[in-house]
Amino acid sequence: MLLAHTAVMTEPLFVQLHHQDGAALRDELARGLLGNPASVPPKFLYDALGSRLFDAITELPEYYPTRTERTIFDAHAVEMAAIAGRGRTLVDLGAGNCEKAARLFGVLEPLRYVAVDISVEYLRHALSSLQRRHPGIEMVGVGADFSSTLTLPPEAGGGERLLFYPGSSIGNFTPGEALRFLRQARAASGAGGALLIGVDLVKPTAVLELAYDDPLKVTAAFNLNLLRRLNALLGCDARIDDFEHVALFNECGSRIEMHLQARRALTLRWPGGERALAAGERIHTENSYKYTVDGFERLLRDAGFAHTPHWTDAHQWFAVFLAF
Ligand SMILES: C[S@@+](CC[C@H](N)C(=O)[O-])C[C@H]1O[C@@H](n2cnc3c(N)ncnc32)[C@H](O)[C@@H]1O
């Protein structure tokens, strides 16, 4: 049941949906490393340090998505709220530091805020401090991995929800996976609910590649942090010095790809497995698909959303869709 709007909340409720099954994680990592090409799923980029490094990336002048998306919300959030409806449960998917949603509290006036993220330790910290700033909003943190299934616990409340998926995180899925995720998001938003989603658009290659390979090397550190995770989770013997960060725009696939490229021939070893890499061979660590407005609109329609108003910035670099 929804708590009275006047209730003063001091601590958010926290629900852990996915439990770190060590054997399953090791199996997933080993399968990726043994693949051709070798890969690591991008969700492993986010531990507490990875989340902090991502926050630092969003401060970089080269990383246009965060500030461009912010200009769209600054200009149009009131209009979005008028369509989406106020006073709902706001469900933030991949909430990170929760700040994007918090900036919208004034216009969306959520009764309840549900923040979902795989980076559990970081989410707990961010949500606790947000709850203290907004004691009138019931807050629920959900530790979950939604890469294969988007499930919300009963504590997220029922009824009409506004799902919030900013930052073009949808771009980390292949278009096929994105379609499946959007269908699940539509179901999770409930009858009368909606999805507010940020989408990065196709733009000149130089702008894209600089955003994912900044001169300060913050994105490189974010990517290389995966090696620390491989060592911690899989018991791997990767050395950070042996790899370099590579980011390139794959025009045919319409996606930025991030890789870790071996500086020399080497063999990664872990209990029960090994993977030899030639000098220059890469481990594929992230895709970030770039869409056209029409292409993403089609994807939303295919996922079952009948209405898809959207807003963009002056350069048409980024779009925010409200789908319902
Ligand atoms: C690109 S960041 C976006 C953070 C924030 N929403 C923003 O727009 O600035 C992606 C966020 O999604 C979370 N995330 C990534 N993969 C996830 C997964 N499979 N399940 C749940 N959360 C995930 C990360 O921990 C991170 O906080």
Side-chain angles (χ1 to χ4, degrees), residues 85-205:
R86 295 182 170 81
R88 298 191 168 196
T89 293
L90 179 64
V91 182
D92 193 353
L93 299 171
N97 63 17
C98 307
E99 284 305 320
K100 279 190 186 167
R103 282 175 66 90
L104 296 175
F105 283 174
V107 283
L108 294 175
E109 300 169 16
L111 286 183
R112 180 190 280 134
Y113 173 59
V114 180
V116 187
D117 209 291
I118 198 170
S119 187
V120 176
E121 189 191 324
Y122 192 70
L123 177 65
R124 273 185 195 273
H125 180 75
L127 198 62
S128 291
S129 92
L130 190 65
Q131 180 75 86
R132 286 193 285 280
R133 277 161 49 203
H134 297 274
I137 301 176
E138 183 191 346
M139 295 192 183
V140 181
V142 181
D145 172 5
F146 50 60
S147 54
S148 53
T149 313
L150 175 59
T151 316
L152 294 174
E155 290 84 350
E160 297 173 357
R161 295 167 173 155
L162 179 60
L163 266 59
F164 185 49
Y165 197 36
S168 204
S169 294
I170 190 72
N172 294 152
F173 293 119
T174 64
E177 292 165 347
L179 178 61
R180 192 186 59 193
F181 182 84
L182 292 170
R183 286 191 173 127
Q184 294 181 7
R186 183 167 166 272
S189 63
L195 169 69
L196 187 59
I197 183 166
V199 183
D200 200 10
L201 301 177
V202 175
K203 60 185 60 61
T205 298

Side-chain angles (χ1 to χ4, degrees), residues 46 54-74 100 103 164-172 197-204 206-214 219 256 286 288-291 311-320:
Y46 297 94
F54 177 75
D55 284 353
I57 289 171
T58 67
E59 302 280 323
L60 297 169
E62 295 81 11
Y63 194 75
Y64 63 83
T66 307
R67 66 165 190 280
T68 310
E69 188 180 44
R70 189 182 305 141
T71 65
I72 299 173
F73 283 125
D74 286 351
K100 279 190 186 167
R103 282 175 66 90
F164 185 49
Y165 197 36
S168 204
S169 294
I170 190 72
N172 294 152
I197 183 166
V199 183
D200 200 10
L201 301 177
V202 175
K203 60 185 60 61
V207 178
L208 284 168
E209 290 187 343
L210 196 58
Y212 290 82
D213 193 7
D214 61 278
T219 315
I256 279 281
E286 190 186 70
S288 183
Y289 281 83
K290 308 303 168 189
Y291 287 92
W311 297 263
T312 60
D313 58 289
H315 300 294
Q316 306 253 308
W317 276 6
F318 204 92
V320 175

